[in-house]
Amino acid sequence: MMMMKAARQQQGLTLIEILVVVAILGLLAALVVPNVIGRGEQARVDMAKANMQGIANALDMYRMDNGRYPTTEQGLEALVREPADARNWNPEGYLSEVPTDPWGNEYVYISPGRDGPFDLYSLGADGREGGEGHDAEISYRETRDRNRR
């Protein structure tokens, strides 16, 4: 008889115990999730900056070989496929494919640029001009200038 009573008491968790566990999990999620989500977007921003550095290096190699940067019309495609007016295009190309930013959008390339030989930027998370935070444009020139300081 005593054995059956002890067995009945050990059969499962009470409703209060379950509610306490759920409350603790909810509290942990409320503290951890915002930090993890924010870091994911920051990682994409950092990846866009690193990608643009690689693209800028390929653009510089193109200029060294051809005496000028690709035109806006030729775009970044000139780093993958030889333009008709290229003087000394590298037969292996400068990039294996036209890159997209971490959000799947094309990088914007303009040559000549406003403050230099070219402008290169990502439109950010929302893929549109303007915006704030992770939706703001990420400019190669601004990123490069900040890193030099």
Side-chain angles (χ1 to χ4, degrees), residues 3-148:
M3 191 105 155
M4 286 178 62
K5 195 174 188 182
R8 232 182 297 144
Q9 290 177 350
Q10 298 295 322
Q11 287 182 356
L13 299 172
T14 67
L15 181 59
I16 292 177
E17 290 171 326
I18 292 172
L19 289 174
V20 168
V21 169
V22 169
I24 291 171
L25 290 174
L27 180 62
L28 287 173
L31 295 173
V32 172
V33 169
N35 291 330
V36 172
I37 290 173
R39 291 185 193 263
E41 282 303 308
Q42 186 58 46
R44 286 186 181 99
V45 169
D46 293 343
M47 178 63 75
K49 291 176 181 179
N51 287 348
M52 286 189 289
Q53 180 62 55
I55 295 167
N57 290 343
L59 286 164
D60 288 340
M61 294 298 294
Y62 180 97
R63 182 187 53 82
M64 287 173 44
D65 289 347
N66 295 282
R68 62 172 182 77
Y69 288 100
T71 65
T72 300
E73 292 75 29
Q74 291 170 327
L76 298 178
E77 184 75 25
L79 301 175
V80 178
R81 288 176 196 71
E82 182 177 5
D85 64 347
R87 292 187 325 182
N88 189 27
W89 198 80
N90 182 343
E92 295 176 14
Y94 301 90
L95 293 174
S96 59
E97 61 185 5
V98 176
T100 57
D101 71 13
W103 298 277
N105 303 310
E106 292 182 6
Y107 287 98
V108 177
Y109 171 76
I110 300 169
S111 179
R114 286 179 298 200
D115 299 319
F118 64 86
D119 289 340
L120 177 65
Y121 57 95
S122 164
L123 294 174
D126 65 356
R128 295 182 300 204
E129 289 189 23
E132 295 180 11
H134 300 299
D135 291 335
E137 288 97 11
I138 304 162
S139 166
Y140 165 71
R141 190 126 346 256
E142 289 175 14
T143 301
R144 186 199 66 187
D145 292 345
R146 278 190 206 130
N147 290 338
R148 286 185 176 175

